Amino acid sequence: MNITSFLLYCIIITITPGPTNIVILSTVHNFGTKKAMEYTYGATIAFGLLLVISAMLNTMLITVIPKILIIMQIIGSFYMFHLAYQIYKMDTSKPTVNQTGTFMSGFLMQFLNPKVVLFTMTVIPSFILPYYTAMPAVTISVIAITLIGFLAFITWILFGTIFKAFLQKHTKTVNVMMALFLAYAAVMIWI
């Protein structure tokens, strides 16, 4: 296995903007680092679980992938548009109960995020299974990929925390931009 290609693939896919990363940045901006970490824990656990499912059911999924992908595209698009709307209409001048930055919303976002589903269904059969089929090797690979994903989420939290003052100064603009990026990600599923 080409470790460099594997690591680059994992890092690029997990660090680039996508629905989960945009929600993390928005959550840091509007509700702080602690709330974003709660969301990140849910997202990370779901990410790891998706990798486990992919590794265990890879051969079965090959025949079912087209059916799963269309369902994930539909549900994922609607969920991302919903989140985009929530971010757009968010008013931080009034205290509210935020459902976006919860552990469960982070967990669900990963299962409805087509970028993550496609990644988890391609990384295992492309980079791991052609070279390693033993359970310990596959398990270590899943743990390593999950850790890479977690570190990508933490990078977005750090970015949001470092630039929080700037982001808060331009709250409406930031919310509109985050909503547009999230809506763009929902549209890109179909292109």
Side-chain angles (χ1 to χ4, degrees), residues 136-151:
V138 173
T139 301
I140 289 168
S141 299
V142 166
I143 292 168
I145 298 166
T146 303
L147 181 61
I148 290 168
F150 180 69
L151 293 174

Side-chain angles (χ1 to χ4, degrees), residues 15 31 46 49 66 71 76 93 127 130-131 138 143 160 179:
I15 199 100
F31 300 99
L49 187 57
I71 292 167
S93 64
F127 289 98
Y131 305 99
V138 173
I143 292 168

Side-chain angles (χ1 to χ4, degrees), residues 88-157:
Y88 171 75
K89 73 174 189 129
M90 195 175 295
D91 182 4
T92 58
S93 64
K94 300 174 188 171
T96 61
V97 176
N98 180 26
Q99 296 303 314
T100 305
T102 64
F103 177 90
M104 189 53 74
S105 66
F107 187 85
L108 290 175
M109 174 57 113
Q110 291 302 73
F111 277 95
L112 299 175
N113 183 346
K115 177 184 171 188
V116 171
V117 172
L118 288 172
F119 171 74
T120 58
M121 285 195 288
T122 59
V123 71
I124 300 293
S126 298
F127 289 98
I128 308 303
L129 294 180
Y131 305 99
Y132 306 104
T133 56
M135 184 61 84
V138 173
T139 301
I140 289 168
S141 299
V142 166
I143 292 168
I145 298 166
T146 303
L147 181 61
I148 290 168
F150 180 69
L151 293 174
F153 297 151
I154 294 297
T155 301
W156 280 86
I157 290 174

Side-chain angles (χ1 to χ4, degrees), residues 31-97:
F31 300 99
T33 305
K34 185 176 179 181
K35 195 72 169 166
M37 284 302 299
E38 181 183 340
Y39 180 89
T40 296
Y41 294 142
T44 302
I45 289 171
F47 183 61
L49 187 57
L50 281 166
L51 287 164
V52 168
I53 292 168
S54 175
M56 290 173 44
L57 304 176
N58 189 54
T59 54
M60 186 179 91
L61 286 178
I62 288 172
T63 60
V64 182
I65 283 176
K67 295 173 189 164
I68 291 174
L69 289 182
I70 192 72
I71 292 167
M72 293 306 299
Q73 285 175 308
I74 293 167
I75 295 170
S77 293
F78 280 115
Y79 187 63
M80 285 186 273
F81 280 124
H82 169 73
L83 288 175
Y85 177 72
Q86 294 296 336
I87 290 169
Y88 171 75
K89 73 174 189 129
M90 195 175 295
D91 182 4
T92 58
S93 64
K94 300 174 188 171
T96 61
V97 176

Side-chain angles (χ1 to χ4, degrees), residues 16-33:
T16 53
T20 303
N21 295 338
I22 291 168
V23 173
I24 287 171
L25 184 60
S26 177
T27 303
V28 170
H29 167 240
N30 292 301
F31 300 99
T33 305

